[in-house]
Amino acid sequence: MQSNAIQMTDQPADGQRPSNLFYLASLRRPLVDRADGIYIWDQTGRRFIDGSSGAMVVNIGHGNRTVIEAMKRQMDRVTFAYRLHFENEPAEELARQLAAHMPEGLDRMFFVSGGSEAVESCIKLARQWAVATNQPQRWKVVTRFPSYHGGTIGSLSVTGDDALVESFRPLLRAMPTVPAPVTWRDRDNFSPEERGVRYADMLEERILEEGPETVLAFIMEPIGGAATAALVAPDSYYSRIREICDRFGVLLIHDEVMSGAGRSGRFLGGDHWDCLPDIVAMSKGIGSGYAPLGAMAASSRLVQPLLDAGGFQHGHTYAGNPLACAAGLAVLGEMDRLHLIDNAAAMGDALMGELLELRKRFPFIADVRGKGLLIGAEMVADPETLAPIEPGKKAYQRLLDHAYARGLIIYARRVKGGLDGDNFIVAPPMVVTREQVDEIVSILGDSLEALARDLDLPVNG
């Protein structure tokens, strides 16, 4: 049937099916048929291991019957109720249970449909809080470079990624940046902890340069996502960041869209450190792919002044959608019932150990980092100088293709502002078993062997 939607149509390559959806011809993939656990099958019956949980979304695995049945029950009651007309029980209960999983004080929730919406909600809450508390001069949101916080115009304004931002730059209000803590690349005599403090102190320097009275917030991913491939800073970085934000009255926003909902082996990625945020953005794993769902969490200290001033001047049509919240409530219940956060920690340790062994075998893997089942690795042309692989060789895309051809889906892109620095992320669903971890690593090893042959990269043994 012809779609009535206005969509751009590309010309498919020879032998590919036509489509009225807007695809790049080079990215055409098989039609999906079904999924279960960590596996997905296409319509020809071919099985793939979902080694990236989609885009780090399907935390509790595919085909969870408890979640599906909960959604069916909700569909029999009501699938939509506009939040200005009705409250709904799934949203109220999800807010209560989500707050119980959050750090103390982060007890006010605002539900949205995705990560970009969650980040924009955080920024708008912070700004409205400043206005409501007689600090209208605060509007600058310091961000890190590189970083990724979403694809909408507001979230792109705090995204440090030239490849994604450049086309839209005339539409954006540029925000100040500080370098992301890529301490593993530094060649100096400092210890990792000293480097962590040094990178954190760059935030203080930037705040002073901008004028402390104008700086509203600092946004960061506690564990890096797409733009930095699971980057983790030294422990000293996190507490210093919190100290600096407190000193200057700057709100700390944690983007937990990718690292939250148990993926790191804690409920939030930031829970690994003494760095309590003021506002948290979440999505992906809290809906686990069963329904579009995101959330902003904040404290009453920030929310109440807005309510006293007339309310939160922000909203989306599907905010607090009862069907999405019913799915999220069931996802949270399954995460607890199946002890999936503990499994993410244990299987993450196993996966990290295996990837470190692959690093010994493939010295062009210069760094392996992450927490739990969010682990990234960066590839270079020269392990000594850390010179990047020539961008024209498309190393990350070649690795994706080799893995895909062998039935393994991983995530990969470039990390230095999206322009060079090839990386990949391995992040299977939190239901993964040790045997499945071994299978993932075996296929990944074969794929790295093929990449090394393609690009004449060094291999040991």
Side-chain angles (χ1 to χ4, degrees):
M1 180 179 293
Q2 181 78 14
S3 171
N4 291 324
I6 299 174
Q7 296 171 319
M8 297 182 68
T9 307
D10 64 307
Q11 295 297 316
D14 290 344
Q16 290 185 324
R17 64 188 183 278
S19 174
N20 287 92
L21 293 172
F22 180 17
Y23 289 107
L24 292 174
S26 62
L27 294 180
R28 297 304 300 275
R29 295 299 195 190
L31 284 167
V32 69
D33 182 55
R34 62 189 178 91
D36 183 66
I38 72 163
Y39 301 110
I40 303 177
W41 287 263
D42 70 15
Q43 290 191 356
T44 70
R46 185 180 175 204
R47 191 196 77 174
F48 295 84
I49 297 175
D50 190 1
S52 61
S53 303
M56 285 63 77
V57 176
V58 191
N59 282 16
I60 70 162
H62 298 275
N64 183 290
R65 298 310 306 176
T66 299
V67 177
I68 292 168
E69 292 302 322
M71 294 178 71
K72 286 180 178 179
R73 289 193 298 273
Q74 184 60 43
M75 291 175 75
D76 285 337
R77 298 179 63 190
V78 59
T79 59
F80 179 81
Y82 189 46
R83 68 187 184 90
L84 298 184
H85 299 161
F86 294 95
E87 297 177 8
N88 71 80
E89 186 177 347
E92 292 292 319
E93 185 60 25
L94 179 58
R96 282 192 290 270
Q97 294 201 23
L98 196 55
H101 286 75
M102 302 293 286
E104 184 176 357
L106 293 174
D107 56 359
R108 305 299 293 271
M109 305 294 159
F110 184 84
F111 293 119
V112 293
S113 298
S116 297
E117 287 184 13
V119 168
E120 294 230 5
S121 299
C122 293
I123 295 169
K124 292 178 81 172
L125 173 71
R127 172 60 183 168
Q128 289 180 57
W129 169 81
V131 173
T133 56
N134 299 313
Q135 303 177 79
Q137 72 281 2
R138 291 188 185 268
W139 60 270
K140 298 174 183 176
V141 180
V142 182
T143 186
R144 303 195 306 196
F145 189 92
S147 63
Y148 179 76
H149 297 292
T152 56
I153 296 299
S155 57
L156 274 178
S157 295
V158 293
T159 287
D161 192 300
D162 291 335
L164 296 176
V165 170
E166 189 58 40
S167 296
F168 307 102
R169 209 174 291 280
L171 303 176
L172 308 177
R173 183 156 195 174
M175 290 293 173
T177 65
V178 294
V182 285
T183 58
W184 71 273
R185 292 187 191 144
D186 293 339
R187 293 295 183 264
D188 53 38
N189 294 322
F190 292 110
S191 68
E193 296 308 298
E194 289 171 330
R195 290 177 186 165
V197 170
R198 184 179 63 178
Y199 274 89
D201 285 346
M202 293 176 188
L203 173 61
E204 179 174 6
E205 293 165 8
R206 192 65 197 235
I207 291 171
L208 292 171
E209 180 181 334
E210 295 292 327
E213 72 284 353
T214 70
V215 178
L216 172 64
F218 175 55
I219 185 169
M220 72 175 200
E221 298 166 293
I223 303 168
T228 56
L231 179 69
V232 175
D235 292 347
S236 58
Y237 178 84
Y238 299 90
S239 57
R240 185 72 156 207
I241 287 291
R242 181 69 267 179
E243 175 191 330
I244 291 167
C245 288
D246 287 341
R247 191 182 323 139
F248 293 103
V250 171
L251 298 178
L252 177 59
I253 302 172
H254 275 185
D255 180 346
E256 296 267 10
V257 168
M258 192 173 289
S259 57
R263 175 155 293 283
S264 74
R266 303 280 183 90
F267 188 72
L268 294 179
D271 291 346
H272 290 275
W273 299 280
D274 180 20
C275 187
L276 180 67
D278 297 295
I279 313 175
V280 173
M282 298 182 68
S283 187
K284 293 187 182 284
I286 62 170
S288 205
Y290 290 86
L293 181 62
M296 172 183 67
S299 67
S300 297
R301 174 181 74 87
L302 299 182
V303 173
Q304 195 59 47
L306 271 69
L307 301 182
D308 295 342
F312 191 21
Q313 297 173 342
H314 177 62
H316 297 279
T317 300
Y318 288 93
N321 176 264
L323 182 58
C325 290
L329 191 58
V331 165
L332 197 60
E334 287 296 89
M335 200 178 301
D336 291 342
R337 183 180 72 85
L338 299 173
H339 307 288
L340 294 185
I341 297 177
D342 290 341
N343 193 62
M347 293 302 101
D349 287 344
L351 180 59
M352 176 67 79
E354 295 291 344
L355 290 177
L356 289 172
E357 288 300 312
L358 283 183
R359 184 185 178 193
K360 296 176 183 176
R361 181 174 157 197
F362 302 104
F364 58 88
I365 298 176
D367 188 51
V368 177
R369 66 283 188 117
K371 292 281 188 182
L373 288 173
L374 180 57
I375 301 179
E378 194 156 339
M379 300 180 291
V380 298
D382 186 327
E384 296 300 321
T385 66
L386 303 183
I389 299 170
E390 180 185 329
K393 293 182 177 180
K394 298 181 179 179
Y396 80 93
Q397 187 61 55
R398 286 174 181 264
L399 180 62
L400 277 181
D401 292 343
H402 282 304
Y404 197 87
R406 290 163 172 78
L408 172 65
I409 301 169
I410 57 173
Y411 187 94
R413 68 186 301 272
R414 292 189 173 123
V415 293
K416 293 183 180 178
L419 301 178
D420 65 40
D422 295 275
N423 80 85
F424 61 89
I425 294 176
V426 185
M430 294 158 55
V431 295
V432 71
T433 66
R434 180 57 206 253
E435 292 74 23
Q436 291 168 336
V437 166
D438 291 342
E439 186 178 7
I440 289 169
V441 173
S442 176
I443 298 173
L444 180 59
D446 292 343
S447 304
L448 288 163
E449 285 274 9
L451 178 66
R453 288 194 298 270
D454 285 351
L455 303 183
D456 194 26
L457 295 169
V459 177
N460 291 329

